[in-house]
Amino acid sequence: LLRSRVAELRAENSLLRSRVAALEAGEAGEGAAPSDAAVQEMDLAAAMSALRAHASVPRVAAAVGERLADLCADERSRQAAAEAGAIELVMAALRTHSEERVQCKGCAALGTICSGTEGGAEGRQQRAADAGALEAVVAAMRAHPQMAEVQRQGCWVLANVCCGDDGAALARKQRAAAAGAIEAVVAAM
């Protein structure tokens, strides 16, 4: 009787270990957070959907930030991402997760989405500023002063969001200065 019970427990233990491994890999089936590899294969809509569905999972937030940065290499993609709400979604992740990887990848996504000088760039830059990107990026840089990649990505976001010479760009620059961006950039050097 004892041997059969031990065998049952071993089988159950093996099954539980398999489930834990699947959960850690993001392969636990419907409703489970996607693996990093799965996120890297997603299109814009799928990546944003994954972040909405798994907003509480820092690993997913970081993977989606990285994917968005990759997907937004051209103006059309940057504009589509902004129109789909990517800026606000990334901002929510930055506010939710203080982990270095999330902050770094979120900044990478914002920097890419806000890059460029094409007609839609100014609208994306203003949208990011309106969503609190300047303040969030300064906070990320202050929270991770020894993390060179957070500093680099943060500086890139600040440069892109503050780009321009019209009245709105000047207001973004003043807002960035008020948030402590100048001190954050100097400290990053």
Side-chain angles (χ1 to χ4, degrees), residues 8-94:
E8 288 174 19
L9 289 173
R10 282 190 177 147
E12 183 179 350
N13 187 24
S14 177
L15 179 63
L16 289 172
R17 286 179 185 261
S18 301
R19 288 184 182 162
V20 167
L23 283 171
E24 288 174 345
E27 301 166 357
E30 191 173 327
S35 68
D36 289 1
V39 170
Q40 294 311 308
E41 298 300 318
M42 292 178 178
D43 64 10
L44 175 65
M48 290 179 57
S49 179
L51 184 51
R52 281 188 192 99
H54 305 287
S56 65
V57 182
R59 178 185 57 76
V60 173
V64 170
E66 182 176 3
R67 183 63 180 147
L68 288 174
D70 291 343
L71 287 170
C72 295
D74 62 85
E75 167 62 18
R76 197 167 123 226
S77 299
R78 291 189 288 269
Q79 194 62 34
E83 290 171 4
I87 291 170
E88 293 79 7
L89 198 57
V90 169
M91 286 302 304
L94 290 175

Side-chain angles (χ1 to χ4, degrees), residues 2-169:
L2 184 59
R3 286 183 187 201
S4 68
R5 184 65 182 139
V6 167
E8 288 174 19
L9 289 173
R10 282 190 177 147
E12 183 179 350
N13 187 24
S14 177
L15 179 63
L16 289 172
R17 286 179 185 261
S18 301
R19 288 184 182 162
V20 167
L23 283 171
E24 288 174 345
E27 301 166 357
E30 191 173 327
S35 68
D36 289 1
V39 170
Q40 294 311 308
E41 298 300 318
M42 292 178 178
D43 64 10
L44 175 65
M48 290 179 57
S49 179
L51 184 51
R52 281 188 192 99
H54 305 287
S56 65
V57 182
R59 178 185 57 76
V60 173
V64 170
E66 182 176 3
R67 183 63 180 147
L68 288 174
D70 291 343
L71 287 170
C72 295
D74 62 85
E75 167 62 18
R76 197 167 123 226
S77 299
R78 291 189 288 269
Q79 194 62 34
E83 290 171 4
I87 291 170
E88 293 79 7
L89 198 57
V90 169
M91 286 302 304
L94 290 175
R95 287 186 188 106
T96 302
H97 304 290
S98 62
E99 293 90 340
E100 175 266 332
R101 184 168 182 241
V102 176
Q103 297 293 306
C104 181
K105 301 303 182 181
C107 285
L110 286 175
T112 302
I113 294 167
C114 294
S115 66
T117 56
E118 307 84 6
E122 292 156 355
R124 294 189 306 272
Q125 293 157 355
Q126 189 60 49
R127 189 170 181 163
D130 291 344
L134 297 167
E135 295 82 2
V137 168
V138 169
M141 293 173 73
R142 287 180 177 155
H144 302 284
Q146 301 303 314
M147 305 307 296
E149 195 59 16
V150 172
Q151 301 302 309
R152 188 177 78 78
Q153 295 294 347
C155 288
W156 192 45
V157 175
L158 293 171
N160 287 339
V161 173
C162 293
C163 185
D165 55 9
D166 63 345

